[in-house]
Amino acid sequence: MAEDEADGTPAIPDEETPAGIPVPRTAGGARRPARRALLAATAAAGVGLLAACGDTGSRADPAPGAEPPRGTGRASPAPSGTGPAPGKTARPGRKYPELPRGGRELFPRHRLVGFCGLPGAAALGRLGTGDPGERADEIEKRARAYAGDREALPVLELLAVVATAAPGPDGRYRSRTPDATIRRFHRIAAGHRALLLLNIQPGRARVLDEVEALRPWLLRPDVGLALDPEWEMGPGEVPGDRFGRTSGRELTGVADYLSRLVAAHDLPEKPLVFHQVAASVLRQESALRRRPGVALIKSADGIGSPDLKRATWRRLVGNLPAGVHTGFKLFYEEDAEGSSRLMTPDEVLALRPRPEYVMYE
């Protein structure tokens, strides 16, 4: 893979699709899927149309106990628990919100299994195909195969901020999914006792700004966060031209923000997933720190045969910082191209360390 002479960031090779859009490759040389290469162009065509037109107004923070602002919806009643947020003292008789299937902490009780995507954009993941309710039913069944010695917790990972090839009105090269779409998927997740993860592909936007814009949703006990730093671009960079990057310090800053929300609102533990396609995407990993009330999950995002995916797994999770959990991504189409095949649940669970979040795209 070519590297930028200035900073060593992997550039997307010159090979192009018939439409003239570069096709990235993985760190192991495997071709990145067409859906990744087409992502920026698809989003530039109008993510609001793809995501079912809805209210795209500001995501203002509601006052405690107030009705959420228009476009954010109201969470379904959460199950009640008996434990306070980390660092707080339990109040006698008070019930605290729990995770969708019980408890206040994700691990080691649960194993997360999910689909990702955006409605109306099948190229961006399984969640964007067909009826969302049917996809939620499907992931419920799929999750059971991964339960093992844990309880399966289904996940809907919705693209809430999508990188775009065009700068947009504010020059940030990203588009925010309408609140009406997020509300729709939150209702589906709540109806299936599933977690909703809001995925951020920030383009040139500041990551924490995009996280803070989702605050009304993150105040709900069944909503977590996922970051896709391969689409986090620096000044002068355009999504689709090269892989983006983040740092351990930046991820810790996001974890700090979530930890404060958890403590202030007595919320159950929040998942913070960061997907990683290549070693260069995460700089200064040693600076990554755990924070109370936040489960850090590093998801290995590699494409190819089972052997290639195992090699990518070993390379990316070989030296995890203390307390970081593991995730593993599978691609229905790209992993099975040519003579290859999709890994089975038993093969995924045979990885060491065993993945605690398995996501299908």
mmCIF file of all heavy atoms in Angstrom, residues 51-52 54-55 57 59 71-74 118-119 156 158-161 176-190 196-200 210 213-218 220 223-224:
data_model
loop_
_atom_site.group_PDB
_atom_site.id
_atom_site.type_symbol
_atom_site.label_atom_id
_atom_site.label_comp_id
_atom_site.label_asym_id
_atom_site.label_seq_id
_atom_site.Cartn_x
_atom_site.Cartn_y
_atom_site.Cartn_z
ATOM 1 N N ALA A 51 -31.857 8.004 3.989
ATOM 2 C CA ALA A 51 -32.240 7.665 5.350
ATOM 3 C C ALA A 51 -33.702 7.929 5.640
ATOM 4 O O ALA A 51 -34.113 7.924 6.785
ATOM 5 C CB ALA A 51 -31.375 8.462 6.325
ATOM 6 N N ALA A 52 -34.494 8.173 4.636
ATOM 7 C CA ALA A 52 -35.925 8.454 4.789
ATOM 8 C C ALA A 52 -36.084 9.835 5.382
ATOM 9 O O ALA A 52 -35.793 10.070 6.537
ATOM 10 C CB ALA A 52 -36.619 7.412 5.657
ATOM 11 N N GLY A 54 -36.646 13.202 7.082
ATOM 12 C CA GLY A 54 -37.207 13.487 8.397
ATOM 13 C C GLY A 54 -36.675 14.789 8.901
ATOM 14 O O GLY A 54 -35.988 15.518 8.194
ATOM 15 N N ASP A 55 -36.980 15.105 10.128
ATOM 16 C CA ASP A 55 -36.541 16.341 10.740
ATOM 17 C C ASP A 55 -35.032 16.347 10.865
ATOM 18 O O ASP A 55 -34.443 15.455 11.436
ATOM 19 C CB ASP A 55 -37.183 16.450 12.133
ATOM 20 C CG ASP A 55 -36.730 17.685 12.879
ATOM 21 O OD1 ASP A 55 -36.179 18.590 12.228
ATOM 22 O OD2 ASP A 55 -36.955 17.726 14.096
ATOM 23 N N GLY A 57 -33.367 19.087 12.085
ATOM 24 C CA GLY A 57 -33.068 20.246 12.913
ATOM 25 C C GLY A 57 -31.999 19.945 13.934
ATOM 26 O O GLY A 57 -31.446 18.867 14.000
ATOM 27 N N ARG A 59 -29.907 19.109 17.323
ATOM 28 C CA ARG A 59 -30.091 18.082 18.337
ATOM 29 C C ARG A 59 -29.842 18.711 19.691
ATOM 30 O O ARG A 59 -28.858 18.435 20.365
ATOM 31 C CB ARG A 59 -29.144 16.911 18.074
ATOM 32 C CG ARG A 59 -29.499 16.157 16.788
ATOM 33 C CD ARG A 59 -28.416 15.196 16.399
ATOM 34 N NE ARG A 59 -28.840 14.459 15.190
ATOM 35 C CZ ARG A 59 -28.000 13.812 14.403
ATOM 36 N NH1 ARG A 59 -26.720 13.840 14.620
ATOM 37 N NH2 ARG A 59 -28.445 13.158 13.357
ATOM 38 N N GLY A 71 -37.865 15.724 16.958
ATOM 39 C CA GLY A 71 -36.900 15.010 16.147
ATOM 40 C C GLY A 71 -36.027 14.053 16.931
ATOM 41 O O GLY A 71 -35.278 13.296 16.351
ATOM 42 N N THR A 72 -36.095 14.080 18.261
ATOM 43 C CA THR A 72 -35.287 13.132 19.025
ATOM 44 C C THR A 72 -36.105 11.991 19.568
ATOM 45 O O THR A 72 -35.562 10.974 19.974
ATOM 46 C CB THR A 72 -34.587 13.825 20.205
ATOM 47 O OG1 THR A 72 -35.563 14.322 21.108
ATOM 48 C CG2 THR A 72 -33.709 14.961 19.720
ATOM 49 N N GLY A 73 -37.419 12.123 19.618
ATOM 50 C CA GLY A 73 -38.264 11.042 20.108
ATOM 51 C C GLY A 73 -38.152 10.856 21.599
ATOM 52 O O GLY A 73 -37.411 11.529 22.283
ATOM 53 N N ARG A 74 -38.941 9.948 22.123
ATOM 54 C CA ARG A 74 -38.876 9.630 23.538
ATOM 55 C C ARG A 74 -38.563 8.151 23.679
ATOM 56 O O ARG A 74 -39.122 7.315 22.990
ATOM 57 C CB ARG A 74 -40.219 9.945 24.212
ATOM 58 C CG ARG A 74 -40.247 9.513 25.670
ATOM 59 C CD ARG A 74 -41.527 9.933 26.354
ATOM 60 N NE ARG A 74 -41.586 11.357 26.532
ATOM 61 C CZ ARG A 74 -40.948 12.015 27.507
ATOM 62 N NH1 ARG A 74 -40.190 11.375 28.347
ATOM 63 N NH2 ARG A 74 -41.062 13.313 27.623
ATOM 64 N N LEU A 118 -27.386 1.776 6.943
ATOM 65 C CA LEU A 118 -28.231 2.967 6.812
ATOM 66 C C LEU A 118 -29.391 2.618 5.903
ATOM 67 O O LEU A 118 -29.171 2.063 4.819
ATOM 68 C CB LEU A 118 -27.422 4.117 6.207
ATOM 69 C CG LEU A 118 -28.110 5.467 6.079
ATOM 70 C CD1 LEU A 118 -28.319 6.092 7.451
ATOM 71 C CD2 LEU A 118 -27.285 6.404 5.199
ATOM 72 N N PRO A 119 -30.628 2.901 6.290
ATOM 73 C CA PRO A 119 -31.770 2.503 5.462
ATOM 74 C C PRO A 119 -31.723 3.131 4.080
ATOM 75 O O PRO A 119 -31.382 4.305 3.925
ATOM 76 C CB PRO A 119 -32.982 3.000 6.262
ATOM 77 C CG PRO A 119 -32.450 4.057 7.171
ATOM 78 C CD PRO A 119 -31.053 3.618 7.498
ATOM 79 N N LEU A 156 -28.215 -2.916 16.879
ATOM 80 C CA LEU A 156 -28.440 -2.238 15.603
ATOM 81 C C LEU A 156 -27.456 -1.075 15.551
ATOM 82 O O LEU A 156 -27.565 -0.130 16.332
ATOM 83 C CB LEU A 156 -29.878 -1.727 15.497
ATOM 84 C CG LEU A 156 -31.006 -2.738 15.714
ATOM 85 C CD1 LEU A 156 -32.362 -2.069 15.497
ATOM 86 C CD2 LEU A 156 -30.850 -3.946 14.802
ATOM 87 N N LEU A 158 -26.416 1.910 13.628
ATOM 88 C CA LEU A 158 -26.928 2.820 12.606
ATOM 89 C C LEU A 158 -25.891 3.898 12.293
ATOM 90 O O LEU A 158 -25.320 4.508 13.206
ATOM 91 C CB LEU A 158 -28.222 3.478 13.106
ATOM 92 C CG LEU A 158 -28.873 4.504 12.187
ATOM 93 C CD1 LEU A 158 -29.454 3.828 10.944
ATOM 94 C CD2 LEU A 158 -29.967 5.275 12.935
ATOM 95 N N LEU A 159 -25.660 4.153 11.017
ATOM 96 C CA LEU A 159 -24.763 5.232 10.619
ATOM 97 C C LEU A 159 -25.453 6.570 10.887
ATOM 98 O O LEU A 159 -26.339 6.980 10.154
ATOM 99 C CB LEU A 159 -24.396 5.109 9.143
ATOM 100 C CG LEU A 159 -23.683 3.818 8.726
ATOM 101 C CD1 LEU A 159 -23.388 3.833 7.237
ATOM 102 C CD2 LEU A 159 -22.415 3.617 9.516
ATOM 103 N N ALA A 160 -25.043 7.236 11.929
ATOM 104 C CA ALA A 160 -25.670 8.495 12.329
ATOM 105 C C ALA A 160 -24.971 9.710 11.743
ATOM 106 O O ALA A 160 -25.559 10.777 11.630
ATOM 107 C CB ALA A 160 -25.696 8.604 13.859
ATOM 108 N N VAL A 161 -23.691 9.566 11.405
ATOM 109 C CA VAL A 161 -22.917 10.609 10.736
ATOM 110 C C VAL A 161 -22.129 9.910 9.638
ATOM 111 O O VAL A 161 -21.366 8.989 9.920
ATOM 112 C CB VAL A 161 -21.967 11.341 11.705
ATOM 113 C CG1 VAL A 161 -21.179 12.420 10.962
ATOM 114 C CG2 VAL A 161 -22.733 11.946 12.872
ATOM 115 N N ARG A 176 -25.255 14.425 8.564
ATOM 116 C CA ARG A 176 -25.900 13.828 9.738
ATOM 117 C C ARG A 176 -27.221 13.167 9.338
ATOM 118 O O ARG A 176 -28.040 13.764 8.647
ATOM 119 C CB ARG A 176 -26.159 14.895 10.798
ATOM 120 C CG ARG A 176 -24.895 15.452 11.428
ATOM 121 C CD ARG A 176 -25.208 16.580 12.385
ATOM 122 N NE ARG A 176 -24.006 17.052 13.092
ATOM 123 C CZ ARG A 176 -23.995 18.079 13.924
ATOM 124 N NH1 ARG A 176 -25.116 18.774 14.149
ATOM 125 N NH2 ARG A 176 -22.875 18.431 14.533
ATOM 126 N N THR A 177 -27.409 11.955 9.771
ATOM 127 C CA THR A 177 -28.659 11.240 9.515
ATOM 128 C C THR A 177 -29.801 11.943 10.243
ATOM 129 O O THR A 177 -29.639 12.357 11.390
ATOM 130 C CB THR A 177 -28.531 9.780 10.001
ATOM 131 O OG1 THR A 177 -27.504 9.134 9.250
ATOM 132 C CG2 THR A 177 -29.839 9.019 9.837
ATOM 133 N N PRO A 178 -30.955 12.109 9.594
ATOM 134 C CA PRO A 178 -32.074 12.809 10.241
ATOM 135 C C PRO A 178 -32.476 12.173 11.564
ATOM 136 O O PRO A 178 -32.440 10.952 11.731
ATOM 137 C CB PRO A 178 -33.203 12.694 9.211
ATOM 138 C CG PRO A 178 -32.507 12.524 7.908
ATOM 139 C CD PRO A 178 -31.268 11.716 8.213
ATOM 140 N N ASP A 179 -32.892 13.027 12.502
ATOM 141 C CA ASP A 179 -33.340 12.528 13.801
ATOM 142 C C ASP A 179 -34.536 11.602 13.669
ATOM 143 O O ASP A 179 -34.715 10.691 14.475
ATOM 144 C CB ASP A 179 -33.692 13.701 14.716
ATOM 145 C CG ASP A 179 -32.455 14.312 15.371
ATOM 146 O OD1 ASP A 179 -31.622 13.553 15.889
ATOM 147 O OD2 ASP A 179 -32.326 15.546 15.350
ATOM 148 N N ALA A 180 -35.386 11.851 12.662
ATOM 149 C CA ALA A 180 -36.540 10.976 12.468
ATOM 150 C C ALA A 180 -36.099 9.547 12.187
ATOM 151 O O ALA A 180 -36.746 8.587 12.613
ATOM 152 C CB ALA A 180 -37.410 11.500 11.327
ATOM 153 N N THR A 181 -35.006 9.383 11.456
ATOM 154 C CA THR A 181 -34.490 8.042 11.173
ATOM 155 C C THR A 181 -33.922 7.407 12.438
ATOM 156 O O THR A 181 -34.148 6.223 12.711
ATOM 157 C CB THR A 181 -33.400 8.118 10.088
ATOM 158 O OG1 THR A 181 -33.959 8.707 8.915
ATOM 159 C CG2 THR A 181 -32.861 6.735 9.755
ATOM 160 N N ILE A 182 -33.170 8.187 13.219
ATOM 161 C CA ILE A 182 -32.640 7.654 14.476
ATOM 162 C C ILE A 182 -33.794 7.249 15.396
ATOM 163 O O ILE A 182 -33.751 6.186 16.035
ATOM 164 C CB ILE A 182 -31.731 8.691 15.166
ATOM 165 C CG1 ILE A 182 -30.534 9.012 14.271
ATOM 166 C CG2 ILE A 182 -31.257 8.158 16.526
ATOM 167 C CD1 ILE A 182 -29.605 10.078 14.832
ATOM 168 N N ARG A 183 -34.815 8.086 15.462
ATOM 169 C CA ARG A 183 -35.960 7.766 16.315
ATOM 170 C C ARG A 183 -36.618 6.457 15.878
ATOM 171 O O ARG A 183 -36.984 5.612 16.704
ATOM 172 C CB ARG A 183 -36.978 8.910 16.275
ATOM 173 C CG ARG A 183 -38.216 8.643 17.131
ATOM 174 C CD ARG A 183 -39.114 9.874 17.250
ATOM 175 N NE ARG A 183 -39.651 10.284 15.959
ATOM 176 C CZ ARG A 183 -39.296 11.393 15.322
ATOM 177 N NH1 ARG A 183 -38.365 12.192 15.811
ATOM 178 N NH2 ARG A 183 -39.858 11.702 14.171
ATOM 179 N N ARG A 184 -36.750 6.286 14.551
ATOM 180 C CA ARG A 184 -37.363 5.061 14.022
ATOM 181 C C ARG A 184 -36.576 3.827 14.448
ATOM 182 O O ARG A 184 -37.139 2.826 14.904
ATOM 183 C CB ARG A 184 -37.421 5.153 12.497
ATOM 184 C CG ARG A 184 -37.960 3.919 11.800
ATOM 185 C CD ARG A 184 -37.792 4.060 10.300
ATOM 186 N NE ARG A 184 -38.290 2.903 9.574
ATOM 187 C CZ ARG A 184 -37.948 2.622 8.335
ATOM 188 N NH1 ARG A 184 -37.111 3.416 7.678
ATOM 189 N NH2 ARG A 184 -38.423 1.550 7.724
ATOM 190 N N PHE A 185 -35.255 3.891 14.336
ATOM 191 C CA PHE A 185 -34.439 2.732 14.679
ATOM 192 C C PHE A 185 -34.343 2.538 16.189
ATOM 193 O O PHE A 185 -34.207 1.402 16.658
ATOM 194 C CB PHE A 185 -33.052 2.846 14.041
ATOM 195 C CG PHE A 185 -33.039 2.369 12.622
ATOM 196 C CD1 PHE A 185 -33.514 3.171 11.603
ATOM 197 C CD2 PHE A 185 -32.601 1.096 12.313
ATOM 198 C CE1 PHE A 185 -33.542 2.728 10.293
ATOM 199 C CE2 PHE A 185 -32.615 0.636 11.007
ATOM 200 C CZ PHE A 185 -33.090 1.454 9.989
ATOM 201 N N HIS A 186 -34.441 3.623 16.935
ATOM 202 C CA HIS A 186 -34.463 3.459 18.387
ATOM 203 C C HIS A 186 -35.725 2.715 18.817
ATOM 204 O O HIS A 186 -35.680 1.858 19.712
ATOM 205 C CB HIS A 186 -34.382 4.816 19.079
ATOM 206 C CG HIS A 186 -34.385 4.722 20.568
ATOM 207 N ND1 HIS A 186 -35.491 5.008 21.334
ATOM 208 C CD2 HIS A 186 -33.425 4.307 21.439
ATOM 209 C CE1 HIS A 186 -35.199 4.801 22.602
ATOM 210 N NE2 HIS A 186 -33.967 4.380 22.698
ATOM 211 N N ARG A 187 -36.840 3.029 18.209
ATOM 212 C CA ARG A 187 -38.085 2.333 18.542
ATOM 213 C C ARG A 187 -38.003 0.855 18.179
ATOM 214 O O ARG A 187 -38.486 -0.007 18.923
ATOM 215 C CB ARG A 187 -39.256 2.997 17.824
ATOM 216 C CG ARG A 187 -39.637 4.350 18.407
ATOM 217 C CD ARG A 187 -40.703 5.030 17.583
ATOM 218 N NE ARG A 187 -41.143 6.279 18.198
ATOM 219 C CZ ARG A 187 -41.871 7.208 17.592
ATOM 220 N NH1 ARG A 187 -42.253 7.018 16.330
ATOM 221 N NH2 ARG A 187 -42.226 8.310 18.216
ATOM 222 N N ILE A 188 -37.399 0.552 17.031
ATOM 223 C CA ILE A 188 -37.235 -0.846 16.638
ATOM 224 C C ILE A 188 -36.326 -1.567 17.624
ATOM 225 O O ILE A 188 -36.624 -2.688 18.068
ATOM 226 C CB ILE A 188 -36.676 -0.938 15.209
ATOM 227 C CG1 ILE A 188 -37.700 -0.418 14.201
ATOM 228 C CG2 ILE A 188 -36.271 -2.373 14.873
ATOM 229 C CD1 ILE A 188 -37.157 -0.244 12.804
ATOM 230 N N ALA A 189 -35.221 -0.926 17.990
ATOM 231 C CA ALA A 189 -34.300 -1.542 18.954
ATOM 232 C C ALA A 189 -34.993 -1.777 20.287
ATOM 233 O O ALA A 189 -34.883 -2.859 20.880
ATOM 234 C CB ALA A 189 -33.067 -0.659 19.143
ATOM 235 N N ALA A 190 -35.730 -0.774 20.771
ATOM 236 C CA ALA A 190 -36.418 -0.923 22.056
ATOM 237 C C ALA A 190 -37.439 -2.047 21.993
ATOM 238 O O ALA A 190 -37.601 -2.803 22.960
ATOM 239 C CB ALA A 190 -37.090 0.399 22.426
ATOM 240 N N LEU A 196 -29.005 0.161 20.538
ATOM 241 C CA LEU A 196 -28.792 0.981 19.359
ATOM 242 C C LEU A 196 -27.429 1.640 19.493
ATOM 243 O O LEU A 196 -27.159 2.346 20.470
ATOM 244 C CB LEU A 196 -29.878 2.054 19.246
ATOM 245 C CG LEU A 196 -29.725 3.027 18.082
ATOM 246 C CD1 LEU A 196 -29.867 2.308 16.743
ATOM 247 C CD2 LEU A 196 -30.739 4.168 18.185
ATOM 248 N N LEU A 197 -26.534 1.380 18.533
ATOM 249 C CA LEU A 197 -25.247 2.057 18.482
ATOM 250 C C LEU A 197 -25.285 3.092 17.370
ATOM 251 O O LEU A 197 -25.704 2.785 16.246
ATOM 252 C CB LEU A 197 -24.108 1.070 18.204
ATOM 253 C CG LEU A 197 -23.729 0.063 19.285
ATOM 254 C CD1 LEU A 197 -22.467 -0.688 18.870
ATOM 255 C CD2 LEU A 197 -23.514 0.740 20.610
ATOM 256 N N LEU A 198 -24.876 4.305 17.684
ATOM 257 C CA LEU A 198 -24.838 5.377 16.700
ATOM 258 C C LEU A 198 -23.404 5.514 16.194
ATOM 259 O O LEU A 198 -22.500 5.858 16.947
ATOM 260 C CB LEU A 198 -25.338 6.679 17.320
ATOM 261 C CG LEU A 198 -26.780 6.626 17.840
ATOM 262 C CD1 LEU A 198 -27.187 7.956 18.459
ATOM 263 C CD2 LEU A 198 -27.753 6.228 16.729
ATOM 264 N N ASN A 199 -23.227 5.216 14.914
ATOM 265 C CA ASN A 199 -21.902 5.195 14.298
ATOM 266 C C ASN A 199 -21.573 6.559 13.698
ATOM 267 O O ASN A 199 -22.393 7.154 13.001
ATOM 268 C CB ASN A 199 -21.856 4.108 13.214
ATOM 269 C CG ASN A 199 -20.509 3.995 12.546
ATOM 270 O OD1 ASN A 199 -20.028 4.910 11.901
ATOM 271 N ND2 ASN A 199 -19.891 2.827 12.674
ATOM 272 N N ILE A 200 -20.355 7.037 13.966
ATOM 273 C CA ILE A 200 -19.904 8.343 13.479
ATOM 274 C C ILE A 200 -18.743 8.161 12.510
ATOM 275 O O ILE A 200 -17.708 7.604 12.858
ATOM 276 C CB ILE A 200 -19.475 9.246 14.640
ATOM 277 C CG1 ILE A 200 -20.680 9.589 15.524
ATOM 278 C CG2 ILE A 200 -18.814 10.521 14.123
ATOM 279 C CD1 ILE A 200 -20.323 10.398 16.760
ATOM 280 N N GLU A 210 -19.450 15.952 16.995
ATOM 281 C CA GLU A 210 -20.485 15.030 16.503
ATOM 282 C C GLU A 210 -21.051 14.193 17.640
ATOM 283 O O GLU A 210 -22.248 13.884 17.665
ATOM 284 C CB GLU A 210 -19.905 14.137 15.403
ATOM 285 C CG GLU A 210 -19.382 14.895 14.197
ATOM 286 C CD GLU A 210 -20.419 15.859 13.626
ATOM 287 O OE1 GLU A 210 -21.551 15.420 13.329
ATOM 288 O OE2 GLU A 210 -20.105 17.058 13.485
ATOM 289 N N ALA A 213 -23.452 16.380 19.611
ATOM 290 C CA ALA A 213 -24.701 16.602 18.894
ATOM 291 C C ALA A 213 -25.682 15.454 19.100
ATOM 292 O O ALA A 213 -26.902 15.625 18.940
ATOM 293 C CB ALA A 213 -24.419 16.780 17.401
ATOM 294 N N LEU A 214 -25.165 14.291 19.476
ATOM 295 C CA LEU A 214 -26.013 13.116 19.712
ATOM 296 C C LEU A 214 -26.379 12.951 21.184
ATOM 297 O O LEU A 214 -26.953 11.945 21.583
ATOM 298 C CB LEU A 214 -25.301 11.854 19.218
ATOM 299 C CG LEU A 214 -25.091 11.760 17.703
ATOM 300 C CD1 LEU A 214 -24.123 10.633 17.365
ATOM 301 C CD2 LEU A 214 -26.433 11.541 16.984
ATOM 302 N N ARG A 215 -26.068 13.945 22.002
ATOM 303 C CA ARG A 215 -26.259 13.835 23.450
ATOM 304 C C ARG A 215 -27.673 13.421 23.867
ATOM 305 O O ARG A 215 -27.831 12.571 24.751
ATOM 306 C CB ARG A 215 -25.876 15.153 24.125
ATOM 307 C CG ARG A 215 -25.864 15.091 25.652
ATOM 308 C CD ARG A 215 -25.351 16.404 26.227
ATOM 309 N NE ARG A 215 -25.076 16.311 27.657
ATOM 310 C CZ ARG A 215 -25.956 16.562 28.609
ATOM 311 N NH1 ARG A 215 -27.186 16.926 28.273
ATOM 312 N NH2 ARG A 215 -25.635 16.439 29.881
ATOM 313 N N PRO A 216 -28.738 14.006 23.277
ATOM 314 C CA PRO A 216 -30.078 13.573 23.705
ATOM 315 C C PRO A 216 -30.303 12.078 23.546
ATOM 316 O O PRO A 216 -31.012 11.464 24.345
ATOM 317 C CB PRO A 216 -31.009 14.384 22.791
ATOM 318 C CG PRO A 216 -30.211 15.589 22.422
ATOM 319 C CD PRO A 216 -28.804 15.101 22.284
ATOM 320 N N TRP A 217 -29.694 11.495 22.525
ATOM 321 C CA TRP A 217 -29.830 10.049 22.340
ATOM 322 C C TRP A 217 -28.956 9.283 23.322
ATOM 323 O O TRP A 217 -29.350 8.233 23.830
ATOM 324 C CB TRP A 217 -29.448 9.673 20.902
ATOM 325 C CG TRP A 217 -30.395 10.232 19.896
ATOM 326 C CD1 TRP A 217 -30.167 11.270 19.033
ATOM 327 C CD2 TRP A 217 -31.734 9.819 19.661
ATOM 328 N NE1 TRP A 217 -31.277 11.517 18.281
ATOM 329 C CE2 TRP A 217 -32.258 10.633 18.641
ATOM 330 C CE3 TRP A 217 -32.547 8.827 20.222
ATOM 331 C CZ2 TRP A 217 -33.563 10.494 18.168
ATOM 332 C CZ3 TRP A 217 -33.848 8.687 19.751
ATOM 333 C CH2 TRP A 217 -34.346 9.509 18.738
ATOM 334 N N LEU A 218 -27.777 9.791 23.587
ATOM 335 C CA LEU A 218 -26.853 9.098 24.479
ATOM 336 C C LEU A 218 -27.311 9.123 25.923
ATOM 337 O O LEU A 218 -26.801 8.372 26.760
ATOM 338 C CB LEU A 218 -25.454 9.709 24.354
ATOM 339 C CG LEU A 218 -24.801 9.527 22.985
ATOM 340 C CD1 LEU A 218 -23.517 10.344 22.891
ATOM 341 C CD2 LEU A 218 -24.519 8.054 22.702
ATOM 342 N N ARG A 220 -30.100 8.053 26.759
ATOM 343 C CA ARG A 220 -30.961 6.880 26.878
ATOM 344 C C ARG A 220 -30.119 5.666 27.273
ATOM 345 O O ARG A 220 -28.995 5.494 26.792
ATOM 346 C CB ARG A 220 -31.694 6.646 25.562
ATOM 347 C CG ARG A 220 -32.741 7.725 25.276
ATOM 348 C CD ARG A 220 -33.063 7.807 23.800
ATOM 349 N NE ARG A 220 -34.276 8.575 23.554
ATOM 350 C CZ ARG A 220 -34.387 9.889 23.663
ATOM 351 N NH1 ARG A 220 -33.342 10.604 24.027
ATOM 352 N NH2 ARG A 220 -35.527 10.507 23.403
ATOM 353 N N VAL A 223 -28.692 3.209 24.313
ATOM 354 C CA VAL A 223 -27.999 3.790 23.161
ATOM 355 C C VAL A 223 -26.516 3.941 23.484
ATOM 356 O O VAL A 223 -26.144 4.487 24.534
ATOM 357 C CB VAL A 223 -28.596 5.160 22.770
ATOM 358 C CG1 VAL A 223 -27.802 5.777 21.611
ATOM 359 C CG2 VAL A 223 -30.068 5.017 22.378
ATOM 360 N N GLY A 224 -25.661 3.437 22.585
ATOM 361 C CA GLY A 224 -24.216 3.560 22.730
ATOM 362 C C GLY A 224 -23.615 4.218 21.505
ATOM 363 O O GLY A 224 -24.332 4.730 20.634
#
